Amino acid sequence: MSQPPQPGEPEGQAPDPGPQPGQPYPQQPYPQQPYQQQGWYGAPQQPPPSSNKTALWVGLGVLGLVVVVAVVAILGFVAPGFFLSDTKGENAVASSSSAPASSSTQDTATQSPVDIPSARTELPKRTTPLADPTECAYPADTSKEAAKKVNPPAAGPTPASGTSAVTVKTTAGDIGLTLDRGLAPCTVANFLSLAQQGYYDGTSCHRLGVSGLQMLQCGDPEGTGMGGPGYTIPDEIFPQLKYGRGLIAMAKTQNPDSGGSQFFMVFGEAPLPPEYTVFGSISDEGLQTLDKVARGGVDAEKGTGDGTGPPRIEVKFQSIAVG
């Protein structure tokens, strides 16, 4: 349904060629198996008619084979491991696409060089505060069915001041969030409503970007970038909005007021126009989790072709605690 774009591009788009806004994630096919040349495993050639000379050569060949086997057997006996295949490289490749184990050695093996800035981006501020309370509405999304049954938040007056602490427990580690009602009261109310109804539980973050746009996008039960809650939420944007390390913002299509459940957590650079609602910040512990996921890399085979794709280290939401 919605994806933060690459720098300078509208929502859901990447530089041409790339996916168009609001379109599903283009699923990249797995590479085909190498072509097997005809006869590679073909039947052996028929032997020529036997003769005495041929029989002599065959006998010598058999004798030579016996000698070679004897030598190899001796080597295998005196040099244990001679016959063991080297599976170290195969295991390293296999482990790079699975979630890291708890040991630091295995965590390092899955990491790849990613240039992540260390400085946080300051939370943007409104020059003119919103009315408190603020009126919020969540109209039905008639363009498609809900990815998961859920009730919209109550429409009407909504508090526009104060913060709410949230802890997202994931398979990759905890991610703490501080949601700011002064920035985006309707968006905060929506996120808390979805979290308390268990909408995000069991969902996996489907899109990671590690260069240009450094973020992890989550919140789609379909895992395709097209899923939503069956209703939309209003944009809560202003010209001073900026994006960078430590901020969380809503994803949407190119259309205004088209957000729903998908959001993206920025752990690095994000040179975007002020078109995506920022509604809170990420804790230091949460940024450590995101950094680990970023260094694990993108699963390019399942990506969009724009450099983003599912993270190799899976980030599945287990539960969200509010307060």
Side-chain angles (χ1 to χ4, degrees):
M1 171 180 174
S2 46
Q3 305 174 24
Q6 293 300 299
E9 293 294 325
E11 171 57 27
Q13 280 191 332
D16 288 336
Q20 295 301 312
Q23 290 189 344
Y25 242 25
Q27 297 298 316
Q28 300 298 319
Y30 285 98
Q32 294 182 353
Q33 295 298 319
Y35 175 72
Q36 299 292 338
Q37 292 190 356
Q38 205 169 25
W40 182 254
Y41 292 110
Q45 297 294 319
Q46 293 297 321
S50 61
S51 64
N52 291 336
K53 184 180 290 187
T54 301
L56 175 61
W57 283 110
V58 169
L60 291 174
V62 170
L63 178 60
L65 179 61
V66 170
V67 173
V68 171
V69 170
V71 171
V72 173
I74 292 171
L75 286 173
F77 180 78
V78 300
F82 183 78
F83 292 115
L84 295 180
S85 62
D86 182 11
T87 58
K88 184 177 180 181
E90 295 174 4
N91 289 339
V93 172
S95 66
S96 68
S97 61
S98 57
S102 58
S103 72
S104 58
T105 302
Q106 288 180 331
D107 281 346
T108 303
T110 64
Q111 293 180 354
S112 58
V114 178
D115 186 14
I116 301 175
S118 58
R120 280 179 169 272
T121 297
E122 186 179 355
L123 195 68
K125 297 180 180 179
R126 290 181 176 273
T127 54
T128 303
L130 294 170
D132 190 9
T134 290
E135 289 290 326
C136 296
Y138 309 93
D141 183 358
T142 58
S143 64
K144 64 178 302 182
E145 294 183 3
K148 186 175 179 180
K149 277 280 190 180
V150 70
N151 296 319
T158 303
S161 59
T163 61
S164 182
V166 170
T167 301
V168 183
K169 292 191 173 297
T170 81
T171 52
D174 290 356
I175 302 174
L177 305 174
T178 300
L179 310 185
D180 191 330
R181 295 185 182 87
L183 279 176
C186 303
T187 303
V188 171
N190 176 62
F191 187 94
L192 294 176
S193 174
L194 292 172
Q196 290 166 340
Q197 293 182 71
Y199 181 87
Y200 292 123
D201 296 355
T203 65
S204 294
C205 299
H206 64 277
R207 187 182 183 217
L208 172 68
V210 296
S211 62
L213 180 61
Q214 297 180 307
M215 59 85 210
L216 180 67
Q217 185 172 341
C218 314
D220 177 12
E222 293 180 359
T224 62
M226 290 290 292
Y231 60 85
T232 60
I233 67 174
D235 293 337
E236 296 177 286
I237 57 178
F238 48 96
Q240 292 77 26
L241 277 178
K242 55 184 177 179
Y243 312 87
R245 181 170 174 82
L247 301 184
I248 179 172
M250 290 300 295
K252 69 183 190 70
T253 72
Q254 78 277 16
N255 298 320
D257 304 321
S258 57
S261 61
Q262 293 188 47
F263 58 93
F264 58 103
M265 296 177 284
V266 184
F267 56 84
E269 298 178 349
L272 298 169
E275 298 173 359
Y276 308 92
T277 300
V278 174
F279 63 103
S281 58
I282 307 166
S283 68
D284 290 341
E285 181 185 19
L287 284 174
Q288 290 176 6
T289 297
L290 294 175
D291 291 349
K292 177 180 70 174
V293 172
R295 293 191 177 101
V298 176
D299 189 345
E301 288 185 348
K302 300 178 182 177
T304 64
D306 64 353
T308 68
R312 285 188 175 274
I313 299 176
E314 183 182 34
V315 184
K316 178 179 283 188
F317 286 18
Q318 298 171 316
S319 63
I320 298 181
V322 178

